[in-house]
Amino acid sequence: VQLQASGGGLVQPGGSLRLSCAASGFTLNRPAIGWFRQAPGKEREAVSCLSTNNDITYYPDFAKDRFTISRDKTKNTVYLQMNNLRPEDTGVYYCATDLGQASRYALCHRGPTEWGQGTQVTVSS
């Protein structure tokens, strides 16, 4: 199982970024998959999770109306579109999954078992 995240960078407040996560070693048609982040000095937290068997999403309050998780079946890739970024969104973003977990809610709240490498997102003027 491999999860290759990309797309991070430096962006000004109010700007947008799209993160990508290419999955290999498994197919994104059953396990839930999600994005998580870790800010400096803080614990890792869930950003968004997707149930790949029905494409239903879950977002914590801070991500609602600003972030969108989506999936491209043909590329076995998951995306995170982030709009109206704030300085507090700064951190390392990871995509992650649990091959035995189909529930987006459970993945986001219980945590994944398979992690990709992170991609740095910095929101600063």
Side-chain angles (χ1 to χ4, degrees):
V1 173
Q2 285 195 328
L3 298 165
Q4 184 73 34
S6 61
L10 173 64
V11 63
Q12 293 187 341
S16 298
L17 280 175
R18 188 176 83 152
L19 306 183
S20 300
C21 174
S24 59
F26 70 103
T27 302
L28 289 172
N29 61 1
R30 185 192 179 274
I33 190 161
W35 289 93
F36 298 77
R37 71 184 185 185
Q38 187 164 23
K42 295 187 176 181
E43 292 188 356
R44 202 173 291 183
E45 63 180 347
V47 176
S48 179
C49 292
L50 172 74
S51 294
T52 59
N53 56 0
N54 57 20
D55 284 328
I56 297 178
T57 57
Y58 167 80
Y59 302 94
D61 287 345
F62 72 82
K64 289 178 182 176
D65 300 324
R66 297 193 301 128
F67 295 178
T68 303
I69 189 171
S70 62
R71 173 179 63 131
D72 185 329
K73 298 177 185 179
T74 64
K75 296 181 179 179
N76 212 39
T77 297
V78 174
Y79 302 98
L80 182 69
Q81 177 67 42
M82 303 187 293
N83 298 326
N84 192 21
L85 283 161
R86 306 164 179 166
E88 54 264 39
D89 294 318
T90 294
V92 180
Y93 283 67
Y94 302 87
C95 63
T97 188
D98 178 341
L99 298 183
Q101 181 58 258
S103 164
R104 65 202 175 277
Y105 189 82
L107 181 69
C108 263
H109 285 82
R110 297 177 191 169
T113 58
E114 306 286 342
W115 294 86
Q117 96 293 352
T119 185
Q120 176 71 43
V121 172
T122 303
V123 185
S124 175
S125 55

